[in-house]
Amino acid sequence: TLPASMQCETCHGPGSLHVAANGDDKAPGFDTMHRPDKLAPAEANQICLTCHSTGEQFYWPNGMHARRDVACVQCHSMHASKDGGHTKLLKYENTSQLCITCHHEKKLLMHKSAHMPVREGSMDCASCHNPHGSSAPKMLRANTSNDLCTSCHADRRGPFLWEHAPVRENCLTCHEPHGSTNDKLLVSRRPYLCQRCHIASGHPSTLYSAARLSNNRLENRSCQNCHSQIHGSNSPSGRFFTR
């Protein structure tokens, strides 16, 4: 339902002049009635921004989508939205379905072993990203990816007496949040993930044993069989993040 102060002409311009032109596209008043889907993105978006310039849309002018000439009407439909309750006026049933129409690489990741709450429908792309813009990289809803991840995964936040440097720097060093074929959304299987940094000769890098065909570093949780507190540990676990 439109607010009482908002009518069709609020977005489409004065209709009387358009009607008076009687279909003559050369008449001065013909172009006074606008169709946002026919306008250049920046021009169409300006119509929306006359009202939507604060809150979620505060960073829009400098956001990634605005810089790439994405129009509001590419995602939103004022008259035929499909989202439940029509609260967001989306062209698709939910935010994630809308996002993957452009972000195909994320669609592929999410069809692997995706972040479980996304697949269950309890969160969507907009839970982590603000599509209208943000002061953070990747339009995140937090200053850093770590701040965003630990807003849900509080047990990984710390502080820890013994910190694991890659964890402190960026959760995405080891995890792919959009989906992975590895458990725990890891970017690589263990122990190969660990050996991207730990490449010294001998332990912890030796994979094979002459005494047996299989090796405990290739089974189950691999390195984490012993170094289970890999996100960070407190005394008495010690600096080797052991159990």
Side-chain angles (χ1 to χ4, degrees), residues 36-37 39-42 44-45 60 65-66 68-76:
D37 59 329
L39 297 174
N45 291 347
W60 174 263
H65 285 151
R68 295 187 177 180
D69 287 329
V70 175
C72 302
V73 292
Q74 288 179 238
C75 299
H76 299 280

Side-chain angles (χ1 to χ4, degrees), residues 3-241:
S5 60
M6 185 177 181
Q7 303 298 327
C8 299
E9 291 184 347
T10 304
C11 298
H12 295 287
S16 58
L17 296 176
H18 179 79
V19 172
N22 197 28
D24 181 6
D25 59 3
K26 304 298 183 183
F30 182 84
D31 289 330
T32 56
M33 178 161 278
H34 308 300
R35 282 191 57 180
D37 59 329
K38 299 297 183 181
L39 297 174
E43 189 176 354
N45 291 347
Q46 196 56 48
I47 296 173
C48 303
L49 291 170
T50 56
C51 295
H52 301 284
S53 59
T54 59
E56 287 278 293
Q57 294 80 29
F58 180 80
Y59 289 103
W60 174 263
N62 298 311
M64 184 65 71
H65 285 151
R67 296 202 302 271
R68 295 187 177 180
D69 287 329
V70 175
C72 302
V73 292
Q74 288 179 238
C75 299
H76 299 280
S77 173
M78 307 308 107
H79 305 293
S81 58
K82 296 181 179 179
D83 59 310
H86 307 287
T87 55
K88 299 179 180 178
L89 300 176
L90 300 179
K91 286 190 171 183
Y92 286 80
E93 292 181 3
N94 58 59
T95 304
S96 295
Q97 287 184 9
L98 175 64
C99 295
I100 61 177
T101 59
C102 291
H103 299 281
H104 301 296
E105 76 285 2
K106 298 299 186 289
K107 178 181 179 179
L108 294 174
L109 289 171
M110 291 173 68
H111 279 78
K112 293 181 178 180
S113 176
H115 206 151
M116 192 58 68
V118 178
R119 297 182 68 179
E120 293 174 345
S122 58
M123 66 182 290
D124 56 32
C125 300
S127 300
C128 298
H129 303 276
N130 182 354
H132 300 102
S134 167
S135 60
K138 306 294 184 181
M139 297 192 289
L140 295 178
R141 291 187 180 275
N143 290 330
T144 67
S145 56
N146 279 25
D147 288 341
L148 182 63
C149 296
T150 55
S151 65
C152 290
H153 301 282
D155 57 320
R156 307 296 190 231
R157 181 184 293 121
F160 298 107
L161 180 61
W162 307 102
E163 291 186 323
H164 193 188
V167 177
R168 183 180 65 249
E169 292 167 1
N170 197 334
C171 300
L172 306 189
T173 301
C174 297
H175 299 280
E176 169 48 68
H178 297 99
S180 169
T181 54
N182 305 305
D183 66 325
K184 306 296 184 182
L185 298 175
L186 294 175
V187 298
S188 177
R189 289 186 62 188
R190 294 168 287 194
Y192 306 108
L193 174 64
C194 305
Q195 291 175 336
R196 290 182 175 187
C197 296
H198 300 283
I199 56 175
S201 60
H203 181 80
S205 296
T206 301
L207 292 178
Y208 305 105
S209 169
R212 50 187 299 202
L213 294 177
S214 60
N215 187 288
N216 63 357
R217 292 177 211 156
L218 294 173
E219 297 171 354
N220 194 21
R221 298 175 68 227
S222 188
C223 302
Q224 283 185 264
N225 290 336
C226 297
H227 305 283
S228 57
Q229 307 301 313
I230 202 61
H231 292 93
S233 65
N234 294 307
S235 181
S237 296
R239 62 189 181 93
F240 295 114
F241 312 112

